[in-house]
Amino acid sequence: NLVNRNPFQTRNKHWCWSQIYRATMLADDMAEQQHYSDIREAKEATCKELQEEMEQLQVQLTEAKSAVATKKGQLEEANTNNNIELRLIEERQAHKAELVEKAE
């Protein structure tokens, strides 16, 4: 009991506990900072992956738009050619009808 009554040892004990408490708080702070750092790194990695995926999708979209424009041009050309052929057929039929009329 005499040891406990020594003010120096009591102060020393309080100092030790305060150092343990400060070290514990520091360790908690460091763990929390590491946790947030890990979250930030994961977020940055996810953002980078999404950015790369978005760039790939943009390329695919551009290619798809180009393919659609090409196909549209081909269909318009085919439609024009069909209209020309239809007009020629109609003109031949009209000419045949005129010849039949003249022959009768």
Side-chain angles (χ1 to χ4, degrees), residues 68-82:
V68 166
T70 300
K71 192 65 172 176
K72 181 180 177 186
Q74 291 171 346
L75 291 173
E76 287 173 350
E77 184 179 345
N79 189 37
T80 300
N81 290 340
N82 287 342

Side-chain angles (χ1 to χ4, degrees), residues 56-72:
Q56 291 172 357
L57 289 173
Q58 188 65 40
V59 168
Q60 291 174 0
L61 178 61
T62 302
E63 290 171 352
K65 283 180 178 180
S66 176
V68 166
T70 300
K71 192 65 172 176
K72 181 180 177 186

Side-chain angles (χ1 to χ4, degrees), residues 41-56:
E41 287 175 13
K43 179 181 168 186
E44 289 171 0
T46 301
C47 287
K48 185 176 179 181
E49 289 172 11
L50 289 174
Q51 182 68 30
E52 290 171 358
E53 187 176 339
M54 194 168 76
E55 289 171 1
Q56 291 172 357

Side-chain angles (χ1 to χ4, degrees), residues 8-65:
F8 177 75
Q9 285 185 345
T10 303
R11 267 185 276 143
N12 210 11
K13 190 186 290 183
H14 287 303
W15 181 84
C16 285
W17 281 113
S18 71
Q19 295 305 309
I20 291 170
Y21 176 77
R22 290 169 79 193
T24 302
M25 295 305 291
L26 180 62
D28 288 348
D29 287 348
M30 290 175 65
E32 188 175 347
Q33 287 176 2
Q34 183 61 46
H35 174 70
Y36 287 124
S37 178
D38 292 346
I39 290 173
R40 187 172 38 257
E41 287 175 13
K43 179 181 168 186
E44 289 171 0
T46 301
C47 287
K48 185 176 179 181
E49 289 172 11
L50 289 174
Q51 182 68 30
E52 290 171 358
E53 187 176 339
M54 194 168 76
E55 289 171 1
Q56 291 172 357
L57 289 173
Q58 188 65 40
V59 168
Q60 291 174 0
L61 178 61
T62 302
E63 290 171 352
K65 283 180 178 180

